[in-house]
Amino acid sequence: KHQSDEARTATPAMAHPWQVPVPLDDIPPQGLQRELHASAEMCASVATFSGVNYINDLMATFEVIPETKGRYSVRGQVKALVGQACVVTLEPMESQIVEQVNVTFVPPDQLPDGYNDADKLDIAALINEEEDLEPLENGAIDLGRLAVEFLILGIDPYPRKPDAALPISPAAPDPAEHPFAGLAALKGALKDKGG
């Protein structure tokens, strides 16, 4: 089962489009700064991965700082122009996404119990953490992947143009047009006659 899981993760469909790994060995004690600019081809790949029409001007700035206990804090910002269709009018629209990044990468054994299993996750341990936690994998921090994940967090799944009005709901049906309106009228007439 473990092998099949690995095979599934290795398929191109599952691969993250933007990978910019920074080996932990390359991070000096004082930390390092990186500025990433996605090419037009990379923007197109990220747009497909994110399920939007297009992405332009995708860039990210990061500061990676070594902490105690083998942890690394990553602070920064991800920016991009994202093209989508308005959910109300279906017209194309563009949004400026700006997401702040504040994540701590930790050795896997420092993650809260059940981090990868929602049923066993220690919510209290997560709440006590001031930052988002991510596991360190393969001896590197992938800044490209981090940029895409935070970009997706900032994308509105139901984008709506500011001036888009919701369709006017149909007026409430006239009670007189109800299928049983005739029967009700007849019933009323008989009652009047009897009274």
Side-chain angles (χ1 to χ4, degrees):
K1 182 177 183 299
H2 185 60
Q3 285 180 338
S4 65
D5 284 349
E6 283 183 347
R8 189 168 62 246
T9 347
T11 55
M14 299 292 287
H16 228 274
W18 201 13
Q19 298 180 16
V20 186
V22 175
L24 301 182
D25 293 342
D26 291 356
I27 302 172
Q30 70 272 23
L32 61 78
Q33 294 186 337
R34 284 287 174 89
E35 190 167 299
L36 311 180
H37 293 268
S39 65
E41 292 78 12
M42 184 55 68
C43 284
S45 297
V46 173
T48 302
F49 184 81
S50 309
V52 297
N53 294 346
Y54 64 84
I55 289 175
N56 288 333
D57 303 330
L58 171 56
M59 65 167 292
T61 53
F62 291 114
E63 184 175 19
V64 185
I65 301 173
E67 306 282 0
T68 56
K69 301 181 184 175
R71 295 180 167 213
Y72 293 82
S73 69
V74 181
R75 311 279 183 275
Q77 188 182 75
V78 180
K79 296 170 68 175
L81 285 172
V82 176
Q84 296 171 276
C86 172
V87 293
V88 177
T89 64
L90 302 182
E91 293 172 351
M93 61 176 289
E94 192 172 71
S95 308
Q96 172 77 60
I97 306 292
V98 180
E99 280 293 306
Q100 303 302 319
V101 179
N102 184 3
V103 178
T104 300
F105 283 83
V106 304
D109 60 359
Q110 293 183 29
L111 289 168
D113 290 340
Y115 180 83
N116 292 314
D117 185 345
D119 295 333
K120 300 176 186 171
L121 183 58
D122 185 348
I123 300 296
L126 271 184
I127 291 172
N128 290 333
E129 288 288 345
E130 294 180 358
E131 298 147 330
D132 288 336
L133 296 181
E134 289 285 342
L136 284 166
E137 296 172 344
N138 306 318
I141 294 173
D142 193 337
L143 296 181
R145 180 182 185 126
L146 193 63
V148 172
E149 288 175 355
F150 272 83
L151 173 70
I152 290 173
L153 282 176
I155 294 174
D156 187 348
Y158 304 105
R160 181 176 164 185
K161 283 187 163 185
D163 55 349
L166 287 169
I168 298 170
S169 56
D174 185 342
E177 293 176 4
H178 191 275
F180 296 106
L183 184 61
L186 179 62
K187 188 177 177 183
L190 289 173
K191 187 177 175 186
D192 290 344
K193 191 175 179 182

